[in-house]
């Protein structure tokens, strides 16, 4: 059961899609007039949720600040990330969920002082608060997912392996990356085009010399089974002659500064204007610009810099030190004041600073692009964004931004996945191998072995760091083997993703959700459930060749190496699972089946129905379609038996 409580006049965030009953008296929380909601926690209560925030799956013991931020120096104690996902689930003495639906800053203090207090301080007094009740933490989440609507449904090729790097400059660079993967026998479905494909980083342009004859190039790559996925940044370059800029100015599509002029902020292309995505007409206008790309034959996009990221403004110099007034003491280094300097006009006529609606800016960009692409294409598209808010999950996925090549960030990737799923974001993943810093062969192999199970599986890294395409390392066959496992598991992973999305369920869950009465399983954070049948226990440490795995019930242990599966039934309890670098070990639950397909070099070659079934179950309900139809429904499931 979901009940909503309205304070003030909330700004439309488009987070919920279902009518929800209004409650009279707010349960669980005491409410202070300064919009701080407090709730005592039981000693053993676990608090789930908060999507993209740092730290573990149990959010207890720290403070988290919802105020979208593009800090690329990811640390465990970072209070804010690129997205704000204000949904928490308290699981223990009382079990309930709470969604603080407000586009302004929210501070979640989840017992950081150890005094057993959960406090949620909302900066705005205009707020919609949803309370979700009924049964276990997992059923509370499912109830919530029902309210926020069905997840984005990407095409099958978006579940293939993707290669990306900031620094691919020309069509020749891209072709070389494709050829090298082919030579090494590494399957590949798409290559991302970072900002260098554009003419001076201007959105909706292609650099003529670097990518001559783009449409023909896109077509040629598609014939090889490869999609190209260009980046699109939020800011539109201020430059006479830039048609999108001129049209945007003329139609009044941009955010304004204090005195009513179009606000200017420096990002990659120099000075830009930010589209005022808060208005429907502006979203429709921006979404229609993607025609530029779809006419080139492109069907996948990553939206970036949409927190929005700002290097400098007319009134603040680049790299200006954040001073006491301008910086936020909670987050030194930020220029919070920039966001007080520009304004949106809402559809209800209100003029409001970005500071007050900051957390939905990126989500509104995703909504704009998703709705545009929906009109422009007669098939499903790939879209993932850096910034997000709950609701954007209906239009696209997200990636978790500029992480670094470290074991800590691999572990964080594991924690992020179930938390994001709780907030609706099923299609997500991290920069596999790490974005900043230099990766190592061992880290990349272990990271790939985990990414096999995340819907977005993309190797991406920053310019200036060690190049990390798999073919650059010794023993390429180990990389080939792990990536081929992804493809062999796709009949299962794709089917489980589509079923979870269509049923408004989670794909990746903490063990606690499937084994709520198992005290040990409830505290485990480095093992996850993937779909109905698989449990994974990724290796997250350097220099080890195995790990201890906890099995809440007897399962089938599956080892994949050298292109083949070896299955063994194992009992419940702790066991040591050895996994050399070229081996991936995972588990199939008792009574479940997992369909595995043939090795292929991309999804275009794949036959989802040509599978063998692993595990001890008697039947498997497999979702199957052509991978791109817009008409997706559970009617497309077929029953497979051994
Ligand atoms: C941002 C993105 C990163 C991208 C870079 C250049 O840092 O998060 O993925 O490579 O910009 O466009």
């Amino acid at each position: 059961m979901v009940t909503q409580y309205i304070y003030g006049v909330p700004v439309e965030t488009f987070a919920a899609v279902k009518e929800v009953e209004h409650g009279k008296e707010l349960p669980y929380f005491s409410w202070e007039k300064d919009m701080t909601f407090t709730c005592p926690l039981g000693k053993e209560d676990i608090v789930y949720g908060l999507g993209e925030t740092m730290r573990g799956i149990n959010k207890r013991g720290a403070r988290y600040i919802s105020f979208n931020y593009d800090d690329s120096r990811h640390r465990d104690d970072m209070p804010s990330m690129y997205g704000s996902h204000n949904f928490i689930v308290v699981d223990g003495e009382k079990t309930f969920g709470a969604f603080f639906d407000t586009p302004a800053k929210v501070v979640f203090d989840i017992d950081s002082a150890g005094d057993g207090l959960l406090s949620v301080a909302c900066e705005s007094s205009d707020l919609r608060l949803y309370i979700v009740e009924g049964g276990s933490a997992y059923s509370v989440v499912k109830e919530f997912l029902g309210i926020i609507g069905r997840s984005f449904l990407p095409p099958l090729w978006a579940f293939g392996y993707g290669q990306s790097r900031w620094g691919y400059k020309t069509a020749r660079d891209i072709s070389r990356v494709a050829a090298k993967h082919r030579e090494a026998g590494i399957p590949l479905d798409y290559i991302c085009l970072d900002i260098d494909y554009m003419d001076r980083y201007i959105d909706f342009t292609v650099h003529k010399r670097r990518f001559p004859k783009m449409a023909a190039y896109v077509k040629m790559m598609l014939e090889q089974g490869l999609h190209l996925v260009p980046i699109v940044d939020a800011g539109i370059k201020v430059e006479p002659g830039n048609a999108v800029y001129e049209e945007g100015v003329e139609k009044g599509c941009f955010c304004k500064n204090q005195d009513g002029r179009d606000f200017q902020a420096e990002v990659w292309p120099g000075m830009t204007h930010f589209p005022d995505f808060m208005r429907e007409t502006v979203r429709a206008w921006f979404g229609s610009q993607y025609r530029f790309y779809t006419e080139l034959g492109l069907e996948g996009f990553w939206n970036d810099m949409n927190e929005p990221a700002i290097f400098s403004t007319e009134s603040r110099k680049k790299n200006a030190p954040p001073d006491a007034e301008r910086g936020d003491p909670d987050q030194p280094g930020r220029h919070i004041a920039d966001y007080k300097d520009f304004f949106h006009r809402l559809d209800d006529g209100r003029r409001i600073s970005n500071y007050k609606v900051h957390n939905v800016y990126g989500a509104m960009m995703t909504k704009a692009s998703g709705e545009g692409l929906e009109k422009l294409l007669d098939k499903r598209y790939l879209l993932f964004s850096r910034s997000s808010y709950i609701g954007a999950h209906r239009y696209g996925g997200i990636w978790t931004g500029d992480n670094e090549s470290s074991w800590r960030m691999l572990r964080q990737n594991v924690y992020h996945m179930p938390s994001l799923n709780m907030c609706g974001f099923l299609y997500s993943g991290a920069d596999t191998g790490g974005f900043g810093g230099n990766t190592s062969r061992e880290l990349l192999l272990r990271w790939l072995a985990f990414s096999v199970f995340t819907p977005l599986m993309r190797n991406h890294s920053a310019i200036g760091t060690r190049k990390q395409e798999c073919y650059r390392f010794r023993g390429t066959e180990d990389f080939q083997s792990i990536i081929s496992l992804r493809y062999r598991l796709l009949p299962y992973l794709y089917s489980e993703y589509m079923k979870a999305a269509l049923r408004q369920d989670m794909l990746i869950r903490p063990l606690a959700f499937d084994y709520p009465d198992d005290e040990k399983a409830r505290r485990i954070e480095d093992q996850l459930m993937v779909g109905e049948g698989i449990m994974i226990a990724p290796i997250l440490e350097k220099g080890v060749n195995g790990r201890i795995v906890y099995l809440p019930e007897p399962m089938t242990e599956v080892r994949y190496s050298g292109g083949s599966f070896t299955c063994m039934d194992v009992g419940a309890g702790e066991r040591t699972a050895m996994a050399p670098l070229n081996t991936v070990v995972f588990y199939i639950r008792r009574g479940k089946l997992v369909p595995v397909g043939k090795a292929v070099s991309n999804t275009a070659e794949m036959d989802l129905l040509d599978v063998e079934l692993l595990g001890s179950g008697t039947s498997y309900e497999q979702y199957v379609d052509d991978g791109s139809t817009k008409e997706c429904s559970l009617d497309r499931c077929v029953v497979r038996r051994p």
Side-chain angles (χ1 to χ4, degrees):
M1 192 182 68
V2 187
T3 321
Q4 62 170 318
Y5 301 84
I6 294 187
Y7 302 85
V9 188
V11 171
E12 182 58 82
T13 63
F14 300 101
V17 291
K18 257 207 188 146
E19 278 302 310
V20 171
E21 269 192 40
H22 294 258
K24 286 202 182 73
E25 211 151 293
L26 181 69
Y28 308 111
F29 291 96
S30 326
W31 169 58
E32 309 284 336
K33 284 278 175 275
D34 67 355
M35 299 308 283
T36 298
F37 298 81
T38 54
C39 164
L41 294 172
K43 236 174 132 203
E44 300 298 326
D45 288 4
I46 294 177
V47 181
Y48 294 107
L50 293 186
E52 201 185 19
T53 50
M54 299 301 276
R55 301 177 192 270
I57 298 172
N58 183 355
K59 307 313 292 188
R60 194 163 177 162
R63 280 173 90 237
Y64 308 87
I65 303 178
S66 288
F67 196 79
N68 296 350
Y69 189 20
D70 66 307
D71 188 348
S72 57
R73 287 151 303 151
H74 289 192
R75 302 171 309 273
D76 300 329
D77 66 347
M78 252 168 91
S80 305
M81 292 286 286
Y82 309 87
S84 290
H85 310 125
N86 301 337
F87 176 58
I88 52 172
V89 181
V90 176
D91 182 23
E93 287 176 14
K94 295 174 221 126
T95 297
F96 67 94
F99 172 40
F100 296 83
D101 186 11
T102 161
K105 178 173 166 182
V106 182
V107 180
F108 292 86
D109 188 321
I110 308 187
D111 192 22
S112 74
D115 53 6
L117 206 66
L118 159 68
S119 101
V120 184
C122 300
E123 186 145 314
S124 167
S125 49
D126 300 315
L127 164 80
R128 224 177 266 271
L129 171 51
Y130 295 86
I131 298 290
V132 191
E133 296 173 287
S136 64
Y138 186 19
S139 56
V140 162
V141 168
K142 283 194 267 192
E143 191 77 34
F144 177 63
L145 296 178
I147 295 302
I148 59 172
R150 194 181 83 183
S151 151
F152 160 66
L153 301 172
L156 176 61
W157 65 264
F159 293 87
Y161 177 60
Q163 180 59 51
S164 182
R165 180 170 168 88
W166 176 12
Y168 297 155
K169 286 207 158 43
T170 60
R172 190 176 293 178
D173 290 346
I174 301 293
S175 296
R176 193 174 308 130
V177 170
K180 288 280 187 188
H181 278 84
R182 239 186 340 264
E183 277 164 31
I186 299 170
L188 189 66
D189 260 84
Y190 59 95
I191 301 179
C192 292
L193 305 181
D194 208 320
I195 46 177
D196 292 300
Y197 81 84
M198 300 185 222
D199 172 18
R200 292 169 298 134
Y201 310 146
I202 305 176
D203 282 350
F204 311 110
T205 67
V206 169
H207 196 288
K208 289 210 172 62
R209 200 162 31 79
R210 294 179 180 169
F211 288 86
K213 306 202 185 104
M214 187 60 154
Y217 186 62
V218 171
K219 187 157 173 267
M220 186 188 85
M221 295 304 264
L222 268 179
E223 280 160 9
Q224 299 171 19
L226 275 178
H227 286 80
L228 299 181
V229 179
I231 196 168
V232 182
D233 289 339
I236 301 296
K237 183 173 174 67
V238 175
E239 183 175 87
N242 172 8
V244 181
Y245 155 78
E246 286 178 345
E247 201 179 293
V249 169
E250 193 197 307
K251 294 188 168 161
C253 290
F254 298 121
C255 293
K256 304 283 180 198
N257 65 15
Q258 281 285 6
D259 38 87
R261 286 180 299 125
D262 289 333
F263 174 73
Q264 296 203 24
E266 186 200 347
V267 202
W268 297 126
M271 279 303 182
T272 67
H273 287 329
F274 291 140
D276 188 356
F277 295 120
M278 298 302 290
R279 279 205 311 285
E280 202 181 330
T281 47
V282 177
R283 287 195 296 272
W285 168 76
F286 188 81
S288 71
Q289 303 302 327
Y290 282 69
R291 180 185 295 278
F292 171 80
Y293 297 115
T294 55
E295 282 180 347
L296 292 171
L298 297 160
E299 297 162 9
F301 307 90
W302 46 314
N303 283 350
D304 192 24
M305 307 303 272
N306 48 1
E307 294 69 31
I310 298 179
F311 300 162
S312 72
T313 68
E314 283 178 298
S315 57
R316 178 185 57 87
K317 285 206 186 67
K318 196 168 185 169
N319 301 326
D323 55 44
E325 292 113 79
R326 297 187 74 93
D328 181 328
D330 267 329
Q331 295 168 78
R334 300 195 62 172
H335 296 102
I336 301 279
D338 288 352
Y339 302 107
K340 296 184 174 165
D341 271 358
F342 71 97
F343 296 84
H344 301 270
R345 172 78 61 194
L346 305 182
D347 278 324
D348 65 16
R350 270 187 281 180
R351 178 179 179 266
I352 195 163
S353 72
N354 177 269
Y355 180 75
K356 293 188 174 164
V357 294
H358 184 70
N359 291 339
V360 294
Y361 188 76
M364 293 298 165
M365 179 185 183
T366 304
K367 182 170 160 67
S369 346
E371 287 174 342
L373 290 166
E374 196 62 51
K375 285 194 197 121
L376 291 164
L377 294 170
D378 56 5
K379 47 183 143 169
R380 306 199 306 258
Y381 58 82
L382 168 60
L383 177 62
F384 54 97
S385 167
R386 194 169 72 175
S387 186
S388 62
Y389 183 84
I390 290 172
H393 70 287
R394 299 194 299 274
Y395 306 96
I398 62 170
W399 94 101
T400 52
D402 300 347
N403 62 4
E404 58 170 32
S405 300
S406 71
W407 293 91
R408 280 180 323 141
M409 290 304 134
L410 164 57
R411 180 176 290 270
Q412 188 61 55
N413 188 187
V414 174
Y415 299 156
H416 270 151
M417 296 308 297
S419 306
L420 283 167
N421 270 245
M422 292 175 206
C423 297
F425 291 91
L426 303 191
Y427 190 82
S428 58
D431 286 350
T432 299
F435 177 77
N438 300 322
T439 203
S440 67
R441 180 176 193 273
E442 182 187 7
L443 178 63
L444 181 56
L445 281 168
R446 293 300 194 201
W447 208 320
L448 286 165
F450 172 64
S451 299
V452 159
F453 300 95
T454 67
L456 170 66
M457 184 189 191
R458 179 180 75 140
N459 179 338
H460 180 54
S461 55
I463 196 164
T465 62
R466 177 183 189 164
K467 293 186 175 160
Q468 63 187 41
E469 296 84 1
C470 297
Y471 52 77
R472 293 186 187 275
F473 297 87
R474 179 182 54 76
T476 312
E477 60 282 2
D478 294 348
F479 295 87
Q480 193 280 337
S481 169
I482 293 178
I483 295 168
S484 76
L485 170 63
R486 162 68 161 215
Y487 282 79
R488 299 205 59 189
L489 281 173
L490 270 188
Y492 173 80
L493 294 171
Y494 178 63
S495 163
E496 289 302 306
Y497 182 98
M498 296 300 278
K499 286 192 295 180
L502 293 167
R503 293 190 172 125
Q504 307 195 20
D505 197 344
M506 293 167 71
L507 171 71
I508 302 186
R509 305 176 300 281
L511 263 52
F513 280 26
D514 290 56
Y515 305 98
D517 301 324
D518 181 329
E519 267 318 307
K520 201 169 158 86
R522 268 173 72 75
R523 300 282 161 186
I524 287 184
E525 301 213 325
D526 61 356
Q527 297 177 209
L528 297 170
M529 308 305 297
V530 180
E532 61 171 53
I534 286 183
M535 181 184 83
I536 56 170
I539 290 183
L540 309 174
E541 259 177 79
K542 180 178 180 311
V544 301
N545 55 5
R547 60 163 285 174
I548 294 173
V549 180
Y550 176 67
L551 288 96
E553 61 177 334
M555 294 188 184
T556 304
E557 185 177 86
V558 186
R559 318 177 69 77
Y560 185 80
S561 71
S564 51
F565 294 96
T566 320
C567 296
M568 181 170 76
D569 287 339
V570 292
E574 270 187 9
R575 60 179 275 108
T576 303
M578 302 307 285
L581 278 179
N582 64 358
T583 304
V584 183
V585 178
F586 63 95
Y587 297 84
I588 302 179
R589 294 182 72 168
R590 188 166 49 176
K592 299 290 179 191
L593 287 174
V594 168
V596 299
K598 300 264 160 11
V600 288
S601 50
N602 56 51
T603 55
E605 284 179 5
M606 208 152 94
D607 179 354
L608 290 171
L609 285 168
D610 186 9
V611 295
E612 65 182 290
L613 296 159
L614 305 182
S616 59
T618 51
S619 70
Y620 177 72
E621 190 190 24
Q622 190 184 351
Y623 175 92
V624 183
D625 67 9
D626 61 6
S628 65
T629 176
K630 286 189 177 185
E631 277 78 50
C632 302
S633 91
L634 291 167
D635 295 344
R636 293 186 183 270
C637 290
V638 293
V639 176
R640 315 301 307 265
R641 290 184 209 285

